[in-house]
Amino acid sequence: MSETITKTLDLKGLSCPLPIAKTAQAIRDLQPGELIESLATDPGAVPDFNAWCTSTGNVLVEQTEDAGVFRFVIKKQ
Amino acid sequence: MLVVTAQGYGRQGYAMGTDDRLSLVLFSGTDDKLQAAAVLTVGAAAMARPVDVFLQYWALDAFRADRILKDHGVSPEAGPEGERAMRDQGKTHWSELFRQAKDLGQVRIQACADSMEMFHITTDDLDPLVDGIWGVASFFMEADGPVTFI
């Protein structure tokens, strides 16, 4: 990925709905177009990050999973 | 002040025409139910939905400044095994979740005037999470959609 990630959040071990809440909180400090990366282990994070992005208009540009850690890259609207 | 919008009457101070408000009435004062209510509130706030929380009876008692962090027990249906499972999960305390929800979005926590009278307490006795006192009529003026009772 060519774009730079402005902020990374380590949300591993947190349960629903904190990964979303902490991401929603942190994205406020970003400028539109900037990227935030969230790392979570809560299985609910997969449907939740998709729902949250759909509902708020932020764009989920990347979603991967590695050894039980879900990684979401979100572009601020 | 009421403003007529395409979708009906909106309230001043909130986005006009939004009908996605979450209106929660908290009656129970046990930690499991307050935890579940706090999770719903944070989730709704993260989704940019306004939330009104109306505290009655034992839920209001749990929001008293001097006992908010004390053990409030769990619902009878939990049983000892259910209580252990909940405590072992080690979730963030419900009061902290409500605090985060208020920081995230439009969340109002209001005490029921009648329950305040029942306990003979004033707003000074309540945790600062509580924004003020509402009567039932004030609550229903704001909650023009479905109401969830916990």
Side-chain angles (χ1 to χ4, degrees):
Chain A
M1 224 171 83
S2 56
E3 286 175 279
T4 320
I5 286 164
T6 308
K7 193 166 195 165
T8 295
L9 297 177
D10 182 359
L11 308 167
K12 296 193 286 284
L14 292 180
S15 57
C16 172
L18 288 177
I20 286 294
K22 300 255 181 220
T23 303
Q25 210 161 18
I27 209 166
R28 293 191 296 201
D29 300 332
L30 266 64
Q31 299 299 318
E34 288 187 324
L35 298 176
I36 191 166
E37 175 187 47
S38 292
L39 304 171
T41 47
D42 172 28
V46 175
D48 269 15
F49 272 88
N50 281 277
W52 180 74
C53 286
T54 304
S55 156
T56 56
N58 297 300
V59 184
L60 185 56
V61 292
E62 211 179 305
Q63 177 184 319
T64 52
E65 193 253 314
D66 181 31
V69 178
F70 302 102
R71 176 174 172 269
F72 305 92
V73 179
I74 298 153
K75 182 182 270 185
K76 182 171 177 166
Q77 182 200 29
Chain B
M1 182 186 147
L2 287 170
V3 179
V4 181
T5 67
Q7 291 175 39
Y9 293 96
R11 279 171 301 271
Q12 197 180 34
Y14 284 108
M16 292 298 129
T18 54
D19 52 4
D20 57 354
R21 171 178 306 274
L22 175 65
S23 301
L24 294 177
V25 176
L26 305 191
F27 168 87
S28 302
T30 52
D31 283 327
D32 53 346
K33 294 198 178 184
L34 291 164
Q35 188 75 34
V39 164
L40 289 176
T41 303
V42 182
M47 299 293 275
R49 289 177 62 165
V51 186
D52 283 333
V53 181
F54 190 51
L55 305 173
Q56 294 186 311
Y57 286 78
W58 327 122
L60 176 64
D61 190 63
F63 272 81
R64 288 166 79 142
D66 58 341
R67 50 183 88 159
I68 191 161
L69 292 173
K70 296 217 169 117
D71 184 344
H72 299 97
V74 294
S75 319
E77 62 258 43
E81 203 181 319
E83 178 164 11
R84 216 173 305 121
M86 194 192 96
R87 305 277 185 209
D88 286 353
Q89 204 186 9
K91 278 219 169 202
T92 308
H93 191 262
W94 55 263
S95 62
E96 176 55 28
L97 291 179
F98 277 119
R99 203 156 283 129
Q100 290 188 17
K102 292 189 78 165
D103 176 56
L104 260 182
Q106 291 176 341
V107 177
R108 295 185 292 192
I109 302 180
Q110 301 285 341
C112 166
D114 194 52
S115 297
M116 294 285 290
E117 208 176 313
M118 181 175 82
F119 291 125
H120 305 289
I121 55 175
T122 68
T123 43
D124 292 344
D125 299 306
L126 297 173
D127 187 270
L129 276 173
V130 182
D131 295 293
I133 302 177
W134 273 357
V136 170
S138 358
F139 173 70
F140 278 112
M141 198 184 84
E142 303 296 332
D144 47 8
V147 171
T148 305
F149 190 89
I150 301 175

